[in-house]
Amino acid sequence: MRSILFLLLMCSSFSLRANDNPGSIYVNLQKLHSLKRVLYVAAHPDDENTRALAWFSLGEKAETAYFSLTRGDGGQNLIGDELSEKLGVLRTQELLAARSNDGAKQYFSRAVDFGYSKSSSESFEKWGRNALLEDMVLMIRMFQPDVIVTRFPPDERGGHGHHTASAELAIEAFSKAADETVFPDQVEKYGTWTTTSIYWNTSYWWDKDIREYAVDNPDYLIKEIGDYNSMLGMSYNEIGTIARSEHKCQGFGGIIERGSREEYFQHLDGEKLKESFFEQNRKTWADMSNPALDKLFADLLDNFDFKDASNNITKLLEIYGELEKLPDSYFKDEKLNRCRQIIADCIGLRAELLGNDYYHIAGETVDFKLELLNRAGVPVRVEHFAPHMLKGEVIGIDLAPNKPVIHELKIATSGDLGSPFWLDKPFKDVFDVIHVDGRLRAEGDPSVHGMLRLVIYDTEIDIPVKGMYKWRDPSYGERSRPVIGVPQFTASFEEKIVLLKPGETQEVRVKVRSFQDNLEGKITWGELQGWEIEEEDLSFTIDRKGGETWLSFHVKATEKESKRGKIVLSDGNGNELFQYQEIAYDHIPTQTIFNPAELECILLDAKIRSGKVAYIKGVADAVPAAIATLGFDVETFEVSDLSDLDLSGYRSVVLGIRIYNVHPELRNFEQKLYEYVFNGGNLIMQYNTASRSGNKEFGPKPFELSRDRVTEEDADVYFNYPEHDILNTPNKISEADFEDWVQERGLYFAGKWDEAYTPLLSWSDTGEERVNGGLIVMQYGKGQFVYTGISFFRELPKGVVGAYRLFANLLSYKP
């Protein structure tokens, strides 16, 4: 039970920074008093209307939660090279950063984002409708909202199959959450729940004339959400746009919005509301089995001391004591946690559990320091600290006003590694979450955490703390990151895959990182049919923790029939080894992922015309490494390097994905690039998004981008010009080369083009007309220009052999 409570506290963004001003403390007190509740539903990180969330949470003082079907694993990344599950980790943290601004909570279903989908039926075919319905019903029964708000309509206007699916599920779960025969195991714990209404948060995006027919229409609620909150010193849309700018990897940084803003909400099911989302909620604290709370809240709200917030403590402690009398429930724990936060803020409490480093060997006993500070004149005694699932240690320290206290602890840690819980087990379309309780949570337990018991006057209060590491960065100031559990050492492959031609041998490099002093170790592997490893094992010694060393072995492809194999690394005792990866950006806490130390070996039959390739970087991607794997001599450059870069020595020049989106100044170098083509060069432009590219025309002869895409990774391919060189030399491209693709065929295809272009391929999603703009090529002077929306940036890192063969042909142009 303690673990579930801690998760709730963390989901509620419990903070002991003690930097809230009296105005924001008061707004939090208003939320504590409020019995309003709103559940907002959509499909991805960045789908949510952060302005509306800020208004619901901070304006209406409603407990507000955003339930996202996915973690955004299938999206793109504007700021780094994380894709797939690693992108999902990054986007999860960006959502939590957004929630820290707008005051809402964050939850997820188990669905894996598989990329763009054109229909909800395709989405449910992959996910399984019942699994996601179970999660949605659980969310409603646990959170018990007055109203559910969807971001999207339950039809094709959603513009994305995941969007439509989120609305369809919300509508179905709206009624089924009240049915005791639906998922009865949930009912035993949470009971059923009847939500009053469900509305769609529509906007001008769907209909520019929406205000004309929303005014005085009983199917709509129109709400002004741009009001200024003098307690917070900000307006709700201002807060919302700041929150939205946390979605940095999706390019949603924006100018802060202030002033009047109307939002439109269309009725979908349940009661039609006339004025307010909460007009049917007439509950008082007496209805919650504690009539004393109504008077206590009224007294404190009317007489709140803004000059010295610590003078509010005695009344807050009375409220806390009455809240503890409520029946056990999610609601009770949520309210107690908010009350704890307000009490901590009023006394300026700072409580930190600090480690000597950001990691510890999982399962070992580790030294920590509790750093405590009570900045008010209120008597506070620290009774004891209880690490997660372990017996507590008596501390017995009185915290004198504004006098820092340091107490040393030894904590026996768990054997778990500090990795996202939803990645603990292999997955495909839905995450296989081990722990059913808390499966909707945004993140798991910190590696080191526990409860600190305080006595304020005569009231006991448990405060959650988690292990952190702090250090001084001379160019930044104080930095911190969570303390994580680690193995003795990790073994991370330099490359994600290795591709070899039959009979070819390649060196494979492994970076060993030690997390302890004086490490002597050995790395072994099992037999691999069709592949031969020259070495029997690898031994190493690393003197100091944090030290790293590179080891290498040689793998040879011996059999043409063995197209794929997997090297799995173990230590000298046969124990599984892990790879180590960090996701580190200034706007999120540093995240770590421990993946099994496995390397996929793939037989690659791809010929090339060798030569030098210049890769002009757009958004970070793994395409340059794939070009090198093919055997080309690849060099990477920034757009700014084009000013003095001599292109004449390169067989091909490749423009990185979304290069015009992130470097619009590339327009200044187009004449130079097109002259390179005219004189015999080969210029390949990869996809850019149609909506953010500025000038709509591209190329030596004009073509325009569209939003056309093919989302079915197994869509049939048609060769419009089968005799074209790109489909024949140096590799003969056939339908077999389009087998085993991942996620999609491509996106942002060319929509219109000059007659000088030749569209080589066409394909379509089920039930749609074929689109031809995925790969267009033209001769320009002595050279060749290519635009491709094919998702090489996804296919190549996943080792899709046919994508390698086709890309080899694109790069092997011969004037």
Side-chain angles (χ1 to χ4, degrees), residues 44-48 50 53 66 68 70-72 89-102 104-108 243 246-247 442 588:
H44 311 102
D46 76 37
D47 282 348
E48 80 278 19
T50 50
L53 289 178
Y66 173 42
S68 176
T70 77
R71 296 176 183 267
V89 174
L90 170 57
R91 296 184 74 182
T92 294
Q93 290 300 316
E94 289 188 335
L95 271 175
L96 291 173
R99 298 296 78 80
S100 72
N101 285 283
D102 59 38
K105 301 180 178 68
Q106 183 62 54
Y107 296 92
F108 296 93
E246 298 289 359
H247 294 298
I588 65 167

Side-chain angles (χ1 to χ4, degrees), residues 424-471:
D424 283 346
K425 297 180 71 175
F427 63 89
K428 185 179 180 184
D429 298 319
V430 294
F431 293 113
D432 186 1
V433 179
I434 297 173
H435 304 293
V436 176
D437 281 331
R439 71 183 179 208
L440 307 182
R441 56 189 165 154
E443 56 185 350
D445 288 341
S447 289
V448 178
H449 63 277
M451 303 298 286
L452 189 66
R453 175 155 296 175
L454 307 179
V455 178
I456 304 175
Y457 291 115
D458 294 323
T459 302
E460 291 185 347
I461 295 180
D462 288 339
I463 300 292
V465 290
K466 57 183 177 181
M468 298 293 293
Y469 171 66
K470 291 198 310 187
W471 73 99

Side-chain angles (χ1 to χ4, degrees), residues 137-346:
V137 169
L138 175 61
M139 183 69 219
I140 294 171
R141 287 171 172 169
M142 179 181 71
F143 190 71
Q144 300 184 347
D146 296 304
V147 64
I148 298 171
V149 178
T150 71
R151 187 52 175 142
F152 299 104
D155 52 44
E156 66 279 357
R157 289 175 297 169
H160 189 314
H162 298 178
H163 295 169
T164 304
S166 70
E168 289 182 7
L169 284 169
I171 292 170
E172 185 176 1
F174 170 78
S175 59
K176 290 193 172 178
D179 187 343
E180 65 181 8
T181 67
V182 176
F183 308 122
D185 55 325
Q186 295 180 9
V187 176
E188 290 181 14
K189 184 169 185 178
Y190 296 104
T192 60
W193 183 253
T194 301
T195 302
T196 301
S197 308
I198 181 167
Y199 276 75
W200 163 35
N201 182 192
T202 183
S203 74
Y204 287 102
W205 194 89
W206 280 282
D207 192 328
K208 62 183 177 60
D209 299 320
I210 186 171
R211 196 175 199 285
E212 293 182 14
Y213 57 83
V215 173
D216 297 325
N217 187 332
D219 286 334
Y220 287 84
L221 288 176
I222 304 175
K223 291 298 173 183
E224 170 60 60
I225 68 160
D227 291 336
Y228 178 73
N229 187 319
S230 60
M231 293 289 180
L232 301 174
M234 303 177 79
S235 57
Y236 305 119
N237 51 343
E238 186 177 1
I239 295 168
T241 50
I242 292 171
R244 187 156 184 77
S245 290
E246 298 289 359
H247 294 298
K248 299 184 190 306
C249 74
Q250 300 305 295
F252 279 109
I255 295 173
I256 296 174
E257 178 184 298
R258 300 176 180 90
S260 178
R261 169 87 183 197
E262 286 186 334
E263 288 288 340
Y264 301 89
F265 301 88
Q266 182 179 343
H267 178 262
L268 295 177
D269 203 350
E271 300 268 353
K272 284 189 180 181
L273 304 172
K274 296 178 180 180
E275 300 291 338
S276 166
F277 283 107
F278 309 103
E279 62 193 41
Q280 298 295 321
N281 180 353
R282 301 182 181 90
K283 287 183 293 189
T284 67
W285 281 98
D287 299 319
M288 306 301 295
S289 303
N290 198 317
L293 281 167
D294 283 310
K295 184 178 184 304
L296 289 172
F297 274 119
D299 186 24
L300 182 54
L301 288 166
D302 289 344
N303 299 287
F304 189 84
D305 191 332
F306 287 90
K307 291 184 178 180
D308 186 350
S310 66
N311 288 334
N312 302 301
I313 288 297
T314 54
K315 292 177 182 176
L316 282 167
L317 292 175
E318 286 186 70
I319 290 173
Y320 185 83
E322 294 299 325
L323 289 172
E324 284 195 310
K325 298 176 183 178
L326 294 174
D328 289 341
S329 65
Y330 174 95
F331 173 83
K332 174 184 176 179
D333 290 339
E334 177 187 68
K335 289 299 185 182
L336 282 171
N337 181 55
R338 190 170 296 282
C339 193
R340 292 184 187 100
Q341 180 73 70
I342 295 169
I343 291 169
D345 289 340
C346 282

